[in-house]
């Protein structure tokens, strides 16, 4: 019996891990702060799920208060971002990888020349 | 601001204290006492409008509402999960406006809260004065078009009103 | 282990598997759906039910009163907060133009007459860059 349940827990853990990885990809891609918030929300809930899985496997209740706190923290984060950080100035999204800058480069460079990829600037200096 | 204790506030105190006891996980007198203090403090700091005059609880319609909500949540969850996992392009959605029938803000909020969980929709905007609810629908064709969405939201509101509205006239 | 306990364990396993699958599909949806509002759907529905199922699975395994109460609390918080968070994010996204019109087949909100203007929160002052030396 315990081997069957062990298999179930392993499969569920793999599913949760995959879901969390996909959410992290969304957090990295954005494109807006709100998309990242959604990704974070999914990630938090997946972490709650992982904690629940651990509690179900070990049959111990120590994890449960952490689950309560996490389920509330995710909500507060989403609301705060939606309320205060939704309006982003053009070309000033908070996390900009060099790749993202190159991909939608033209209009961004026109709007905000200060956020050019670092490599280009160094090249221009020398 | 009238802070006369009414039935609504007593219920609030009971619910908040129960939450506090659940959080602590033990029913000792000290926990109950601090819970009562915290509940009183919360209700004093954030007073809610008294809805005991417009709201009541009817047991059987409440059972209908809860059962229907549970099945709808189940169905809608697996629908969205299937739409996400299946190969091929994701479906086309849209934003649909629904004019609610109840003038009471409390029921509008309840409808909005439940609607964003069940029939495949997320509430984008609420305009309280116009009683308008704007929902984004993920799969517009699968939900019977804009009119199908409006019909299902109005049916949901009717179930909520049957369960909670004080006046029979509002259930029509 | 008695037969009743085995039945409970099997039910718990089914709940855990279904819940984990729904959490996974929430991750898939949040990555695959094309725009902000569609992604909100993945956050609200499969995620909430997935969490409810996972908590049910844990409750079936732990089988103790206080633990079940705490798990019910987690579910209650999730049911209350998830639609509110989704609505806040969706509204902010719509108002700040994160949703392009071509993503929507029907758009009653943009076609609706504007409401009387609500006071906008003051935008925080942008920090001025330090003067070049």
């Amino acid at each position: 019996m315990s081997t069957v349940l062990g298999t179930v827990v392993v499969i569920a853990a793999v599913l949760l891990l995959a879901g969390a990885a996909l959410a992290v990809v969304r957090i990295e891609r954005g494109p807006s702060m709100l998309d990242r918030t959604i990704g974070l929300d999914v990630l938090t809930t997946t972490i709650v799920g992982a904690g629940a899985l651990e509690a179900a496997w070990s049959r111990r209740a120590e994890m449960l208060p952490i689950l309560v706190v996490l389920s509330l923290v995710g909500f507060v984060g989403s609301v705060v971002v939606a309320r205060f950080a939704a309006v982003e100035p053009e070309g000033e999204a908070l996390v900009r990888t060099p790749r993202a800058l190159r991909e939608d480069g033209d209009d961004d460079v026109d709007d905000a020349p200060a956020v050019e990829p670092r490599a280009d600037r160094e090249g221009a200096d020398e | 601001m009238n802070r006369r204790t009414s039935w609504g506030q007593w219920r609030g105190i009971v619910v908040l204290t129960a939450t506090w006891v659940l959080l602590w996980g033990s029913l000792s007198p000290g926990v109950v006492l601090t819970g009562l203090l915290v509940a009183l403090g919360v209700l004093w700091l954030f007073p809610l409008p008294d809805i005991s005059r417009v709201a009541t609880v009817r047991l059987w319609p409440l059972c209908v509402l809860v059962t229907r909500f549970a099945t709808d949540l189940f169905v809608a969850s697996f629908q969205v999960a299937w739409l996400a996992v299946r190969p091929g392009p994701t479906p086309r959605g849209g934003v649909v406006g629904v004019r609610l029938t109840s003038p009471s803000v409390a029921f509008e909020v309840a409808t909005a809260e439940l609607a964003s969980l069940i029939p495949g929709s997320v509430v984008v905007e609420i305009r309280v004065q116009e009683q308008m609810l704007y929902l984004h629908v993920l799969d517009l064709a699968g939900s019977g078009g804009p009119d199908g969405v409006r019909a299902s939201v109005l049916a949901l509101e009717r179930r909520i009103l049957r369960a909670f509205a004080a006046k029979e006239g509002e259930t029509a | 282990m008695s037969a009743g306990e085995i039945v409970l364990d099997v039910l718990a396993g089914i709940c855990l598997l279904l819940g984990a699958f729904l959490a996974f599909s929430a991750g898939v949806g949040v990555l695959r759906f094309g725009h902000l509002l569609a992604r909100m759907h993945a956050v609200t529905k499969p995620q909430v039910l997935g969490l409810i199922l996972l908590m049910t699975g844990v409750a079936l395994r732990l089988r103790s009163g206080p633990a079940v109460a705490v798990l019910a609390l987690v579910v209650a918080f999730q049911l209350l907060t998830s639609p509110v968070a989704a609505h806040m994010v969706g509204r902010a996204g719509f108002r700040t133009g994160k949703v392009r019109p071509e993503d929507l087949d029907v758009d009653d909100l943009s076609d609706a007459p504007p409401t009387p203007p609500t006071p906008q929160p003051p935008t925080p002052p942008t920090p001025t860059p330090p003067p070049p030396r």
Side-chain angles (χ1 to χ4, degrees):
Chain A
M1 187 60 223
S2 73
T3 54
V4 176
L5 200 65
T7 322
V8 164
V9 167
V10 168
I11 294 173
V14 169
L15 281 172
L16 285 180
L17 198 64
L22 296 174
V24 169
V25 173
R26 175 51 69 199
I27 295 172
E28 195 269 334
R29 281 197 194 164
S32 75
M33 204 58 206
L34 293 170
D35 294 282
R36 296 195 168 90
T37 314
I38 298 173
L40 263 180
D41 202 30
V42 172
L43 187 63
T44 315
T45 315
T46 314
I47 293 172
V48 173
L53 210 56
E54 196 277 332
W57 172 238
S58 67
R59 303 195 68 173
R60 290 204 317 243
E62 284 90 354
M63 189 61 99
L64 299 187
I66 304 176
L67 302 187
V68 177
V69 172
L70 270 181
S71 69
L72 281 180
V73 165
F75 163 69
V76 173
S78 296
V79 169
V80 166
V81 170
R83 183 72 184 78
F84 296 110
V87 181
E88 295 166 273
E90 276 296 317
E92 278 186 38
L94 294 186
V95 187
R96 300 289 272 183
T97 59
R99 181 171 58 81
L101 280 172
R102 274 198 302 280
E103 269 173 9
D104 38 53
D106 296 8
D107 49 332
D108 271 349
V109 174
D110 286 346
D111 287 340
V115 289
E116 274 177 22
R118 199 193 182 108
D120 292 359
R121 247 186 315 189
E122 280 170 341
D125 284 343
E126 283 164 11
Chain B
M1 195 73 79
N2 183 9
R3 283 186 187 141
R4 188 171 55 90
T5 46
S6 66
W7 259 115
Q9 272 167 322
W10 277 112
R11 257 175 292 183
I13 289 172
V14 170
V15 168
L16 285 172
T17 312
T19 311
W20 180 262
V21 170
L22 287 182
L23 278 174
W24 282 98
S26 72
L27 199 66
S28 71
V31 170
V32 175
L33 198 67
T34 46
L36 277 175
L37 285 179
V38 170
L40 282 172
V42 166
L43 286 179
W44 180 69
L45 280 173
F46 308 103
L48 283 172
D50 184 10
I51 59 164
S52 56
R53 243 165 294 151
V54 294
T56 178
V57 176
R58 288 195 202 88
L59 212 52
W60 175 243
L62 182 65
C63 290
V64 173
L65 178 70
V66 170
T67 320
R68 188 61 198 270
F69 174 74
T71 48
D72 277 353
L73 177 64
F74 212 81
V75 171
S77 296
F78 281 99
Q79 260 171 6
V80 176
W82 170 240
L83 288 176
V85 180
R86 74 165 186 194
T90 49
R92 305 275 303 167
V95 172
V96 179
V98 185
R99 187 176 297 280
L100 299 176
T101 52
S102 165
S104 161
V105 176
F107 297 128
E108 276 173 43
V109 171
T111 312
E113 172 108 352
L114 293 187
S116 79
L117 279 173
I118 33 181
S121 51
V122 166
V123 177
V124 178
E125 185 85 62
I126 310 174
R127 295 195 177 154
V128 173
Q129 294 91 355
E130 306 165 38
Q131 301 175 30
M132 286 297 280
L133 206 62
Y134 292 93
L135 308 157
H136 178 260
V137 187
L138 183 59
D139 185 5
L140 204 55
S143 320
D147 289 328
V149 174
R150 286 192 196 104
S152 66
V153 172
L154 287 177
L156 168 71
E157 193 203 16
R158 229 171 6 250
R159 284 197 295 275
I160 292 176
L161 288 179
R162 283 215 187 97
F164 294 119
K167 270 179 283 177
E168 273 302 325
E170 285 202 35
T171 63
Chain C
M1 190 182 265
S2 74
E5 284 181 350
I6 289 178
V7 169
L8 284 183
D9 270 2
V10 168
L11 285 179
I14 293 171
C15 284
L16 289 177
L17 268 186
L18 278 179
F21 169 72
L22 284 175
F24 166 70
S25 76
V28 174
V30 106
L31 185 61
R32 271 194 70 199
F33 287 157
H35 58 101
L36 184 77
L37 287 180
R39 285 173 205 141
M40 302 303 316
H41 288 272
V43 182
T44 44
K45 269 148 293 177
Q47 172 133 286
V48 168
L49 186 64
L51 201 70
I52 291 175
L53 285 173
L54 282 169
M55 294 301 152
T56 314
V58 179
L60 286 172
R61 281 283 286 167
L62 292 179
R63 298 165 207 159
S64 78
V68 173
V70 171
L71 292 170
L73 209 58
V74 175
V75 169
F77 283 159
Q78 193 73 21
L79 278 177
L80 283 177
T81 57
S82 160
V84 179
H87 165 61
M88 292 285 290
V89 173
R91 189 179 65 166
F94 206 93
R95 284 190 180 171
T96 54
K98 302 278 183 344
V99 183
R100 293 170 304 158
E102 58 263 31
D103 285 332
L104 304 171
D105 279 357
V106 181
D107 190 355
D108 288 349
L109 184 51
S110 302
D111 300 341
T115 44
T118 47
Q120 291 291 317
T123 49
T126 48
T128 51
R133 278 185 279 182

